[in-house]
Amino acid sequence: MRHDHIISAKQLSRGDIETVLDHAADIAADPGAFADRHSDTLLGMLFFEPSTRTKMSFTTAMKRLGGDIVDMGSVESSSVKKGESLADTVRVVEGYTDALVLRHPMEGSAKMASEFVDVPLVNAGDGAGQHPTQTLLDLYTIRENAGFDDLTIGIMGDLKYGRTVHSLAHALTTVDARQHFISPESLQLPRSVRYDLHEAGAEVREHTDLDEILPDLDVLYVTRIQAERFPDESEYREVAGQYQIDADTLAAAKDDLTVMHPLPRVDEIAHDVDETTHAQYFQQAHNGVPVRMALLDLMLGGDK
């Protein structure tokens, strides 16, 4: 795998994905074997939006590899508040670190920032655009629970603004997967994402009702309706709370259905689902550490 920057799931081939996931599995099996792999490495953390799982798992991943982080901190406490451009910010922090992780509310920001730096840059979410490392840990979770052969997956919720959906849907075109998209009509896949999927040879199957497809699913990937992405609050209120599942909903599902969620959740998955064998979203979040360890190790010149 040879990429200077990880900006989009579109740049990852099936071979790239398998390389990262296989390496993550090796790390998960024996994390101590990788403890001093990058003892002199500093990872720059540039988060212009709130984050819990992505930021903490990247931090954990770098420290478990023996390195450390340099954190820009909140936007309010940085020079961004004084009007500094993103290009200038990444140029400055590049001089302090060996690699950068960027989250920014503007779609396309990671691609733009990558053009100003020579160290590896990882897109940790650019608005409603892409979130490739979330996709890698999602794929790891899917492979561990359902495999990549003859897979039927339903992706439900905010498909319009959900960057995790956009990344995952494209990556799934590299494996043997049938994709079903469940959402209100107002939150269906953007035309550009639908076009990319068609170009990659995928058939886009769209539904407004989960019940009609649930019994066929091996994986159900649920996403939050993201209030912060809506330009109009009234548009959000029209769809908020429309797509919810609980343990009773899953009575019609296969016994081995895997339920996933990129988190955070609000009310789209009831807490009684947590106690079922279907729930894998907390393990999914935990998988972020070995997957991001694997990616950083490969990007920073690990032995593999």
Side-chain angles (χ1 to χ4, degrees), residues 146-284:
F148 284 164
D149 297 319
D150 195 27
L151 175 72
T152 302
I153 180 170
I155 303 177
M156 183 176 82
D158 181 358
L159 311 184
K160 181 178 182 180
Y161 299 113
R163 60 193 174 203
T164 59
V165 169
H166 303 162
S167 289
L168 178 60
H170 195 279
L172 284 169
T173 65
T174 68
V175 303
D176 181 16
R178 292 171 294 279
Q179 299 186 61
H180 295 268
F181 301 94
I182 308 106
S183 71
E185 290 185 4
S186 62
L187 291 180
Q188 289 179 341
L189 288 170
R191 182 178 300 175
S192 59
V193 175
R194 193 182 292 110
Y195 174 81
D196 286 343
L197 294 178
H198 282 307
E199 286 293 291
E203 181 181 343
V204 177
R205 305 169 180 88
E206 295 183 293
H207 312 266
T208 57
D209 185 357
L210 173 63
D211 292 343
E212 66 185 58
I213 190 63
L214 178 60
D216 298 329
L217 299 181
D218 301 304
V219 175
L220 175 61
Y221 190 96
V222 184
T223 67
R224 174 175 62 96
I225 306 294
Q226 303 174 92
E228 68 273 20
R229 301 285 178 219
F230 284 74
D232 184 346
E233 186 178 345
S234 64
E235 181 188 356
Y236 167 72
R237 288 197 300 269
E238 286 179 7
V239 295
Q242 281 192 23
Y243 286 75
Q244 300 174 329
I245 64 168
D246 56 22
D248 288 340
T249 308
L250 299 178
K254 293 180 179 179
D255 291 342
D256 59 354
L257 172 73
T258 296
V259 177
M260 298 171 60
H261 193 304
L263 302 178
R265 67 172 163 183
V266 182
D267 57 4
E268 58 276 3
I269 297 181
H271 289 275
D272 63 1
V273 177
D274 302 354
E275 307 307 316
T276 72
T277 57
H278 302 298
Q280 288 295 325
Y281 27 88
F282 293 115
Q283 183 58 49
Q284 178 186 353

Side-chain angles (χ1 to χ4, degrees), residues 2-55:
R2 292 291 180 268
H3 295 295
D4 293 331
H5 309 297
I6 301 297
I7 305 300
S8 168
K10 297 177 189 178
Q11 75 191 88
L12 299 175
S13 68
R14 173 69 180 264
D16 289 335
I17 291 167
E18 295 282 8
T19 295
V20 175
L21 303 194
D22 289 346
H23 197 31
D26 291 343
I27 291 171
D30 187 8
F34 300 85
D36 297 317
R37 190 85 139 189
H38 297 281
S39 57
D40 296 322
T41 300
L42 286 176
L43 182 65
M45 307 290 282
L46 300 164
F47 278 69
F48 291 74
E49 279 189 324
S51 173
T52 301
R53 280 152 297 279
T54 302
K55 189 172 185 180

